[in-house]
């Protein structure tokens, strides 16, 4: 929702003491003003002011055929006796350019109808004149009687409820009316009712000058006051230019983001079939760089972009982590494939899927850094090793080694954390590994024993998907950020990337940010 400034709102009294009358104000709203006793058409900036429309609102029990506009305001003047009496009130509103002028009648009804319900007569005129930038400046002039009107004429006493209505929250009422119209038009904007002095980055209003100063610079003390007012206006104009420049820069930024989104649409998409978690934010620069440096992958450039993701340039590969998906530039070569798998493991992903820019599935390239078989099969090799599952054997021995060095409380906590991975086969497998770690043996876990543990953990399931998920989860447990991660140990070149200004700190994995849930 964009917050925009509320346009000009002014209100006050039509007082005889200021040389005004209700009848004169009525003609002024209709595009006429008096000069040297002559009624002339109103001009602003050398252009004729156009009178677009008029609304004459009277109470429900008043006959509009009897009480015409001329008679209403003539009677309003006749009802006053004092020389400085207030014959009416005015209520002027500048129409915001963000709203369609077709809704002007709805605005008049919403803002001025409460005054009519008080029993008052209201004249509203819609005028249009050219603004400084050449665009139309639409505004509504409202003239309101100070006494309730009936078929017998105006009441003897003035309506004090009107004074209270104007005394509190007038700008808020106007902003609420405009916000209601914006919502009905489907616009994502909200008008800020605060005056300039209460808003950040705005200027205070210019000085209000007395009529004797406005009449000429030779009035007593008038010249310095007018110079001050001119300086205020010059500062306001410069301020408006700066605001427009900021708006133009924001528009350029949005255009660049739109172009970036279009460029992202032409990239391949890597996702995971595992159950999504509540944490869908992209990796931090530190986590991504540590995971990539651990694999010996150099990054030419990293750019975290707010509301977009983490952009990485690795050789000729272009990779973007957007939280719930990773975008990749085709074709995916060796270093890009290694980086892709490193980021996916750091995020705790398993069961990866890859689609091209048209949405067609693509085969996920294997991780060039994973060695599936370290030696030629020997007569003592188990079926696991013969099937190229040496990385599973390595992961199991790494888990057992970590569990051996852990205390009883940490082992129990590990089982609790693993239970949230939503893989019952993995829970049974880790329970066996905890028991093995508590044994006295110091040797590596034989591959044959791992095969037996796996069959027991699967509880009779032999489908490939269950076996594959169990193996992937075992390997994922040793990835930094998952259940068995240890304190963060920086890569030897860590300080080359992040400098020496901040002491390297240990990063532990908390329950709310587990990599695989």
């Amino acid at each position: 929702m964009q917050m925009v400034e509320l346009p000009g709102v002014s209100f006050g009294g039509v007082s005889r003491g200021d040389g005004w009358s209700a009848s004169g104000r009525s003609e002024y709203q209709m595009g006429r003003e008096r000069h040297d006793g002559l009624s002339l058409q109103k001009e602003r900036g050398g252009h004729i002011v156009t009178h677009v429309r008029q609304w004459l609102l009277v109470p429900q029990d008043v006959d509009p055929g009897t009480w015409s506009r001329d008679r209403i305001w003539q009677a309003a003047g006749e009802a006053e006796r004092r020389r400085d009496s207030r014959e009416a009130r005015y209520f002027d509103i500048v129409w915001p350019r963000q709203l369609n002028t077709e809704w002007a009648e709805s605005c008049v009804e919403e803002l001025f109808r409460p005054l009519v319900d008080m029993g008052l007569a209201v004249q509203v005129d819609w005028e249009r004149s050219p603004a400084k930038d050449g665009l139309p400046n639409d505004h509504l002039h409202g003239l309101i009687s100070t006494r309730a009107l009936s078929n017998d004429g105006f009441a003897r006493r003035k309506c004090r409820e009107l004074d209270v209505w104007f005394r509190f929250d007038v700008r808020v009422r106007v902003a609420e009316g405009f916000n209601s119209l914006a919502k009905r038009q489907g616009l994502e904007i909200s008008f800020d009712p605060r005056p300039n002095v209460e808003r950040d980055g705005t200027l205070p209003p210019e000085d209000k000058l007395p009529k004797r100063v406005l009449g000429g610079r030779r009035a007593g003390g008038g010249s310095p006051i007018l110079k001050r007012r001119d300086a205020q206006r010059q500062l306001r104009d410069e301020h408006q230019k700066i605001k427009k420049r900021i708006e133009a820069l924001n528009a350029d930024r949005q255009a660049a983001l739109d172009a970036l989104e279009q460029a992202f649409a032409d990239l391949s998409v890597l996702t995971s079939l595992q159950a999504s978690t509540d944490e869908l934010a992209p990796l931090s620069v530190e986590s991504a760089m540590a995971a990539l440096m651990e694999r010996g992958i150099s990054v030419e450039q990293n750019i975290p972009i707010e509301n977009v993701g983490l952009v990485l340039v690795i050789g000729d590969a272009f990779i973007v982590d957007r939280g719930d998906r990773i975008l990749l530039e085709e074709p995916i070569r060796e270093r890009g494939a290694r980086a892709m798998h490193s980021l996916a493991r750091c995020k705790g992903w398993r069961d990866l899927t890859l689609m091209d820019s048209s949405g067609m599935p693509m085969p996920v390239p294997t991780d060039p850094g994973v060695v599936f078989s370290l030696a030629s099969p020997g007569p003592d090799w188990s079926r696991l090793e013969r099937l190229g599952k040496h990385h599973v054997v390595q992961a199991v021995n790494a888990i057992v080694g970590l569990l051996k060095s852990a205390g009883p409380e940490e082992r129990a906590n590990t089982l609790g954390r693993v239970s949230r991975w939503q893989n019952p086969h993995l829970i049974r497998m880790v329970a066996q590994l905890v028991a093995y770690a508590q044994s006295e043996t110091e040797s590596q876990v034989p591959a044959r024993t791992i095969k037996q543990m796996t069959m027991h953990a699967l509880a009779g399931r032999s489908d490939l998907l269950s076996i594959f998920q169990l193996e992937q989860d075992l390997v994922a447990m040793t990835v930094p950020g998952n259940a068995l991660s240890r304190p963060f140990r920086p890569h030897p070149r860590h300080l080359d990337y992040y400098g020496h200004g901040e002491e390297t700190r240990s990063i532990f994995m908390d329950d709310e940010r587990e990599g695989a849930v």
Side-chain angles (χ1 to χ4, degrees):
M1 182 71 71
Q2 180 187 4
M3 184 70 72
V4 297
E5 181 181 349
L6 183 69
V9 176
S10 60
F11 52 90
V14 179
S15 175
R16 292 175 179 174
D18 295 330
W20 277 100
S21 67
S23 298
R25 170 70 192 200
S26 175
E27 288 189 11
Y28 173 82
Q29 293 186 181
M30 296 177 64
R32 309 292 297 182
E33 56 185 352
R34 290 189 170 275
H35 292 283
D36 299 329
L38 299 176
S39 178
L40 303 176
Q41 197 164 8
K42 196 190 303 183
E43 292 186 10
R44 292 293 181 270
H47 298 276
I48 299 295
V49 176
T50 304
H51 184 266
V52 181
R53 185 176 173 183
Q54 181 180 98
W55 293 268
L56 186 63
L57 309 176
V58 295
Q60 187 174 3
D61 56 350
V62 173
D63 182 9
T66 303
W67 288 94
S68 62
R69 178 189 63 84
D70 293 337
R71 187 178 179 190
I72 287 175
W73 302 120
Q74 182 180 358
E78 293 173 353
E80 304 297 334
R81 294 291 181 266
R82 294 173 48 180
R83 294 176 58 187
D84 58 350
S85 292
R86 179 184 295 166
E87 297 186 5
R89 277 189 174 273
Y90 68 87
F91 183 21
D92 298 341
I93 304 168
V94 176
W95 186 261
R97 292 179 176 175
Q98 294 86 349
L99 300 181
N100 195 318
T101 53
E102 294 179 358
W103 295 79
E105 185 169 3
S106 298
C107 177
V108 170
E109 185 69 21
E110 187 164 347
L111 293 178
F112 292 93
R113 178 56 62 180
L115 305 177
V116 180
D117 293 340
M118 297 179 191
L120 306 176
V122 178
Q123 174 188 335
V124 183
D125 293 274
W126 174 6
E127 285 190 339
R128 177 176 296 159
S129 59
K132 290 183 179 180
D133 56 5
L135 297 177
N137 174 26
D138 292 285
H139 42 280
L140 299 174
H141 290 301
L143 181 61
I144 307 152
S145 66
T146 57
R147 302 170 189 264
L149 178 66
S150 66
N151 283 324
D152 297 330
F154 283 103
R156 293 184 59 190
R157 295 182 177 274
K158 290 197 173 185
C159 178
R160 297 306 176 189
E161 187 180 357
L162 175 64
D163 298 335
V164 176
W165 192 91
F166 273 107
R167 194 171 292 131
F168 300 103
D169 298 334
V170 176
R171 293 180 60 86
V172 173
R173 292 190 189 96
V174 176
E176 290 175 349
F178 286 157
N179 290 337
S180 176
L181 294 179
K183 186 176 181 180
R184 279 186 272 173
Q185 295 183 38
L187 302 176
E188 293 293 330
I189 59 175
S190 178
F191 290 91
D192 188 353
R194 295 176 299 172
N196 288 341
V197 293
E198 297 180 11
R199 287 198 300 268
D200 297 331
T202 57
L203 298 176
E206 65 182 44
D207 297 339
K208 290 187 177 181
L209 306 185
K211 283 189 174 182
R212 63 177 181 82
V213 174
L214 294 174
R217 294 179 178 269
R218 295 187 178 183
S223 183
I225 297 176
L226 287 172
K227 287 182 179 179
R228 172 184 167 89
R229 200 273 308 275
D230 293 342
Q232 290 174 336
R233 290 185 174 179
Q234 182 179 359
L235 181 61
R236 186 175 299 279
D237 291 340
E238 294 174 358
H239 186 264
Q240 289 297 326
K241 291 178 181 178
I242 294 174
K243 285 182 62 177
K244 290 181 179 179
R245 176 59 177 161
I246 294 174
E247 292 174 358
L249 291 175
N250 287 332
D252 292 342
R253 178 181 182 274
Q254 187 59 48
L257 290 176
D258 293 341
L260 193 60
E261 287 290 343
Q262 183 60 41
F264 286 166
D266 299 330
L267 302 182
S268 301
V269 181
L270 181 74
T271 54
S272 173
L273 290 175
Q274 72 186 84
S276 61
T277 65
D278 294 334
E279 180 60 47
L280 295 177
L283 293 171
S284 65
V285 177
E286 293 79 6
S287 301
M289 294 296 293
L292 295 172
M293 287 189 294
E294 188 74 23
R295 300 289 304 276
I297 302 172
S298 61
V299 179
E300 278 72 18
Q301 196 173 11
N302 64 81
I303 311 170
I305 304 178
E306 185 180 359
N307 299 326
V308 173
L310 176 61
V311 181
L312 300 169
V313 179
I314 302 172
D316 58 354
F318 182 77
I319 299 178
V320 184
D321 178 12
R322 304 211 69 179
D324 60 341
R325 60 194 186 277
I326 295 176
L327 307 180
L328 309 119
E329 190 174 36
E330 301 178 61
I332 304 169
R333 298 180 178 85
E334 179 178 350
R335 189 156 57 148
R338 279 196 296 145
M340 173 188 77
H341 282 280
S342 298
L343 295 176
R345 288 181 179 178
C346 190
K347 295 166 76 69
W349 283 3
R350 67 181 186 216
D351 305 342
L352 302 178
T353 64
L354 184 63
M355 292 186 298
D356 62 16
S357 57
S358 63
M360 294 297 294
M362 299 172 59
V364 178
T366 57
D367 187 351
V370 174
V371 179
F372 292 94
S373 180
L374 299 181
S376 299
D380 296 332
W381 277 51
S382 69
R383 185 166 178 261
L384 270 176
E385 292 171 314
R386 290 180 184 278
L387 291 175
K389 302 294 180 66
H390 192 77
H391 63 298
V392 178
V393 178
Q394 284 184 318
V396 168
N397 280 286
I399 294 171
V400 171
L402 291 169
L403 290 173
K404 277 184 177 294
S405 62
E409 183 178 352
E410 186 176 355
R411 290 171 185 160
N413 185 43
T414 299
L415 283 173
R417 294 159 71 92
V418 170
S419 66
R420 290 194 288 274
W421 284 35
Q422 299 179 357
N423 187 343
H425 308 310
L426 179 66
I427 299 172
R428 287 193 288 268
M429 186 70 178
V430 174
Q432 296 178 82
L433 297 180
V434 170
Y436 192 92
Q438 291 173 331
S439 64
E440 298 298 329
T441 179
E442 295 293 337
S443 61
Q444 295 285 311
V445 185
R448 293 186 180 89
T449 304
I450 296 175
K451 174 64 176 177
Q452 295 171 358
M453 289 181 177
T454 302
M455 296 304 296
H456 180 74
L458 291 171
R461 295 286 297 274
S462 60
D463 58 283
L464 294 178
L465 179 60
S466 298
I467 298 173
F468 179 75
Q469 288 183 346
L470 176 58
E471 292 171 353
Q472 292 296 306
D473 285 344
L474 282 171
V475 175
M477 284 183 62
T478 63
V479 175
N482 284 337
L484 293 182
S485 62
R486 282 298 186 261
F488 171 74
R489 288 178 297 179
H491 188 272
R493 295 186 60 195
H494 178 79
L495 296 179
D496 294 341
Y497 284 89
Y498 302 111
H500 304 265
E502 184 179 353
E503 184 180 357
T504 304
R505 59 187 180 89
S506 295
I507 302 175
F508 292 87
M509 192 66 196
D510 55 45
D511 291 343
E512 287 76 21
R513 298 188 60 186
E514 300 230 342
V517 177

